[in-house]
Amino acid sequence: MNFLKRVPLPLSGVALGFAALGNLLAAYNMYFKIICGILAFVGLLFVAGKYLSNPQVFATDMKNPVIASVSGTYTMALMLLAGYIKPVLPAFAIVVWYIAIVLHFVLIVYFTLNIVLKIKLPDEMMKIAASFFIVYVGIVVASVTAPAFKNIALGQICFWIGFILYIPFFIYVSYRYIKLGNKKIETKALACIYAAPASLCVAGYISSFEQKNMSLLTGIYIFSLLMYLVGIVVAIDLFGSFLKNKNFKFYPSFAGLTFPFVISAIATKQFNAVLTKADIQMSLRPVLPMLFKIELVIAIIGVVFAALCFAKHVFGKEVNNS
């Protein structure tokens, strides 16, 4: 079990990517969803195993602004996986879902009091990262999964909390990147997370609101496309840096290549479904099916690439030493 020591907490971000991708691929083949669900569960199990075997490491990691913020992907993944196990163990799934939501709210409070409010600006601006979005907008995953657990009211509350918090933190985080740039290659992939919050809000709004304000929904979706482009540009820049330096190294921030691109594809698919059902005509509608296919391919590539990188990092030495 020595490999657990090499498990980085951002593996939960890869697990989140698999959990979301499984829901997306279920429309093509249920076996895809099962495989993704198993991989997501194993990822969360490894992360839990690492910290349960050494709680002091967890306490130390949670003092790191980036790692603490990425920890939100664990509760987000739990919310999604609760939906996976609901058909088999409905009572247990409901308990897991509510626990994950409570834990995410605990993270919001902890992160605000112990990280955000203690960052001294402008001297400590480098501590700010796009991963902060995970903490404050990640709760919207509860909105995405709320229909499965028949608690639309809670889903709507979580949507508005995440959406409202997204606005000030978008300004807060963006100011840091505008001011300091995104030059450190070890954390560069974190900026891909820009693609996630608005798309998650689109998916959460569609899932938890039967009566939809199309102006609001369309506005969020168009903004999500702009943020998706930001994520794509960051990903291209990341791989360009590796090609330029000819020195590929593993960084836990690779987890940023997973969920943001998956949820963007989900948002496009759901937005297109809403327009089709309501027979709403707009200039964007004809390109949505093709856009979804492109986003789906990019999402699969991102998740598989990150998963392989994490697997090599965690198990590579085990293989070499055997």
Side-chain angles (χ1 to χ4, degrees):
M1 299 294 282
N2 289 333
F3 72 89
L4 287 177
K5 296 178 181 179
R6 295 191 297 276
V7 172
L9 191 149
L11 179 60
S12 62
V14 180
L16 173 61
F18 270 118
L21 184 62
N23 286 329
L24 191 57
L25 295 178
Y28 300 96
N29 192 311
M30 279 301 296
Y31 285 109
F32 291 146
K33 180 173 183 176
I34 294 172
I35 293 171
C36 287
I38 292 173
L39 291 173
F41 175 77
V42 170
L44 294 188
L45 195 62
F46 285 168
V47 174
K50 172 182 179 174
Y51 289 121
L52 288 175
S53 62
N54 198 338
Q56 186 57 43
V57 174
F58 178 73
T60 301
D61 283 350
M62 287 301 288
K63 295 177 183 178
N64 182 303
V66 171
I67 297 179
S69 58
V70 172
S71 70
T73 58
Y74 198 98
T75 52
M76 293 165 69
L78 277 181
M79 291 180 217
L80 290 180
L81 287 179
Y84 276 68
I85 62 179
K86 183 176 178 290
V88 182
L89 299 168
F92 179 66
I94 291 174
V95 172
V96 171
W97 188 67
Y98 278 111
I99 288 176
I101 292 172
V102 170
L103 287 177
H104 201 95
F105 275 116
V106 170
L107 174 63
I108 291 175
V109 174
Y110 167 83
F111 195 80
T112 302
L113 296 178
N114 294 279
I115 304 292
V116 173
L117 294 181
K118 291 186 178 181
I119 293 178
K120 299 177 182 179
L121 300 177
D123 297 339
E124 297 182 328
M125 194 179 296
M126 278 299 292
K127 291 183 177 181
I128 302 170
S131 54
F132 283 26
F133 293 138
I134 296 170
V135 177
Y136 296 101
V137 191
I139 192 62
V140 179
V141 172
S143 308
V144 176
T145 53
F149 295 96
K150 295 179 172 54
N151 196 336
I152 297 298
L154 179 58
Q156 292 178 351
I157 291 171
C158 289
F159 166 80
W160 286 117
I161 290 174
F163 180 67
I164 291 172
L165 288 175
Y166 178 39
I167 297 172
F169 274 93
F170 176 79
I171 298 171
Y172 179 70
V173 173
S174 297
Y175 181 74
R176 169 257 184 269
Y177 281 102
I178 292 172
K179 196 77 173 176
L180 303 178
N182 189 33
K183 299 176 182 179
K184 295 180 66 175
I185 193 169
E186 59 267 29
T187 58
K188 186 169 287 190
L190 288 176
C192 290
I193 296 174
Y194 261 93
S199 292
L200 180 56
C201 287
V202 169
Y205 185 78
I206 291 174
S207 299
S208 284
F209 290 82
E210 184 176 350
Q211 299 297 323
K212 299 170 179 59
N213 182 320
M214 287 308 301
S215 296
L216 174 64
L217 178 58
T218 302
I220 301 174
Y221 179 72
I222 291 175
F223 184 72
S224 76
L225 288 181
L226 296 175
M227 294 301 100
Y228 180 77
L229 291 177
V230 171
I232 291 295
V233 169
V234 171
I236 293 173
D237 181 44
L238 173 67
F239 288 109
S241 297
F242 286 131
L243 291 174
K244 182 179 179 180
N245 298 327
K246 297 181 180 179
N247 185 22
F248 182 85
K249 291 183 179 180
F250 168 80
Y251 298 110
S253 60
F254 286 168
L257 298 167
T258 60
F259 181 72
F261 296 121
V262 178
I263 194 62
S264 295
I266 291 174
T268 294
K269 181 181 181 180
Q270 292 187 345
F271 184 65
N272 183 53
V274 169
L275 295 183
T276 302
K277 183 178 180 180
D279 195 24
I280 298 174
Q281 301 298 326
M282 63 173 61
S283 57
L284 189 62
R285 182 176 167 185
V287 304
L288 290 178
M290 180 57 67
L291 177 60
F292 166 69
K293 292 178 181 178
I294 294 172
E295 290 179 341
L296 176 60
V297 171
I298 292 174
I300 293 173
I301 292 173
V303 172
V304 171
F305 170 79
L308 291 175
C309 289
F310 272 79
K312 183 178 180 180
H313 172 73
V314 174
F315 298 110
K317 293 182 181 180
E318 292 282 327
V319 174
N320 293 333
N321 294 334
S322 62

